[in-house]
Amino acid sequence: MRKPIIAGNWKMNKTVAEALELVKDLRFKLENVSDVEIVVCPPFLAVQSVYQFLKGSNIKVGAQNCYFEKKGAFTGEVSPAMLKEAGCSFVILGHSERRQYFKESDEFINKKIKAVLPEGLLAIVCVGETLEEREKNIWKEVIKTQVTGGLKGITKEEVSKLVIAYEPVWAIGTGKVASKEQAQEVHKFIRDLFVKLYDKNTAEALRIQYGGSVKPDNISLLMSEPDIDGALVGGAALEAESFMKLVKFEKKAKQ
Ligand code: PEP
């Protein structure tokens, strides 16, 4: 049984004071939840304060990015060890906004994955096709390239430290959520890919989140699909009330 994982990607939102206000509310509202793994990913500057406040709770902290080098002359960058020390358990890598605005390639993302795992961080690795790629019906090739390129040299033992987030670019921040059938089709494709690249047990244990306009009113249907194991959420993670509803989604039997 894969434990569902709901993660909030706050992107470039929330000052430290605002972040603390949000997690104060969340800690209280979510304190009884044990059947879902909960992660919040604030901007770098708020990571440490958020972690200090959430320490001992059921809410884990993640970062939204990092660099692959351990230290040195890389102005503006943050290392995996710095994130670990600040309290991160997770780090999001390869988000489509980083691919799009900062031109991150699969090779670059691969270096980051290889750098974060030895530090004891778990990586949420994002993949997903653009609208044009979906319309051209080449999403399978796109996702296969992202998965094989991003995970080059990653062992099956290391796969247990990964979560894959399928985030169709056309659904992120647009209000256009993928249908549960569309999402399930891609999640199944990704899991089958892991069977081929690794083995059945590794693929079965892998958690695959869906991301892209997940809201309290659509999460239950998505989560009822057999290969959807959680959600990576942007907009709806910025308010305590909606994030709470996402974490406490109505559990329907998996189809
Ligand atoms: C995201 O940023 O990962 C995301 C899925 O955003 P939203 O939920 O706002 O579409």
Side-chain angles (χ1 to χ4, degrees), residues 144 189-200 203:
K144 189 173 173 191
F189 174 77
I190 294 172
R191 201 174 303 286
D192 289 346
L193 202 51
F194 274 81
V195 175
K196 285 185 206 130
L197 292 171
Y198 296 94
D199 56 41
K200 196 161 189 306

Side-chain angles (χ1 to χ4, degrees), residues 2-253:
R2 298 181 292 267
K3 187 172 186 175
I5 173 167
I6 310 285
N9 172 16
W10 297 1
K11 312 193 186 190
M12 198 174 71
N13 293 292
K14 307 286 178 192
T15 63
V16 176
E18 289 165 347
L20 284 173
E21 227 168 88
L22 175 54
V23 288
K24 234 182 246 175
D25 235 4
L26 282 180
R27 184 172 181 158
F28 172 71
K29 285 183 193 312
L30 297 175
E31 66 185 349
N32 297 323
V33 177
S34 58
D35 55 350
V36 171
E37 186 160 23
I38 313 166
V39 186
V40 292
C41 303
F44 285 140
L45 275 180
V47 160
Q48 190 158 25
S49 319
V50 162
Y51 170 70
Q52 289 301 331
F53 182 79
L54 292 175
K55 216 160 45 176
S57 80
N58 55 347
I59 306 177
K60 296 186 177 124
V61 180
Q64 300 171 20
N65 181 33
C66 77
Y67 196 53
F68 58 81
E69 293 285 0
K70 284 190 192 319
K71 59 155 96 173
F74 304 103
T75 303
E77 296 296 325
V78 171
S79 76
M82 291 172 190
L83 294 180
K84 185 70 185 168
E85 188 196 58
C88 285
S89 314
F90 286 85
V91 55
I92 299 171
L93 297 175
H95 190 279
S96 66
E97 286 152 16
R98 298 218 54 92
R99 292 178 188 263
Q100 185 183 347
Y101 303 133
F102 304 98
K103 307 290 170 243
E104 292 196 4
S105 64
D106 293 323
E107 197 186 347
F108 189 62
I109 294 159
N110 178 251
K111 285 186 180 168
K112 295 187 191 202
I113 298 174
K114 287 180 173 159
V116 301
L117 300 183
E119 295 296 337
L121 291 160
L122 306 179
I124 298 177
V125 180
C126 304
V127 297
E129 80 286 0
T130 62
L131 182 59
E132 197 189 342
E133 290 160 346
R134 175 147 286 261
E135 283 172 352
K136 283 193 190 149
N137 203 22
I138 54 168
W139 61 265
K140 284 187 182 164
E141 291 86 331
V142 170
I143 287 177
K144 189 173 173 191
T145 302
Q146 290 173 340
V147 170
T148 50
L151 269 59
K152 201 167 172 201
I154 297 294
T155 65
K156 84 174 179 188
E157 289 70 32
E158 288 172 322
V159 173
S160 66
K161 312 263 169 34
L162 303 182
V163 173
I164 299 292
Y166 166 57
E167 298 208 303
V169 179
W170 48 271
I172 296 180
T174 59
K176 270 192 227 155
V177 63
S179 70
K180 65 184 176 66
E181 291 80 11
Q182 278 173 326
Q184 167 59 26
E185 186 182 21
V186 183
H187 282 231
K188 169 95 172 54
F189 174 77
I190 294 172
R191 201 174 303 286
D192 289 346
L193 202 51
F194 274 81
V195 175
K196 285 185 206 130
L197 292 171
Y198 296 94
D199 56 41
K200 196 161 189 306
N201 288 346
T202 306
E204 282 300 318
L206 175 74
R207 290 182 297 177
I208 309 175
Q209 296 176 300
Y210 167 79
S213 297
V214 176
K215 306 285 178 225
D217 63 2
N218 58 32
I219 189 165
S220 291
L221 268 187
L222 288 161
M223 290 298 295
S224 69
E225 292 295 326
D227 289 293
I228 301 183
D229 308 311
L232 180 57
V233 185
L238 294 174
E239 300 287 337
E241 190 65 19
S242 55
F243 193 64
M244 172 202 70
K245 287 184 181 153
L246 291 171
V247 170
K248 296 188 177 180
F249 70 92
E250 189 195 338
K251 317 271 178 313
K252 301 182 198 289

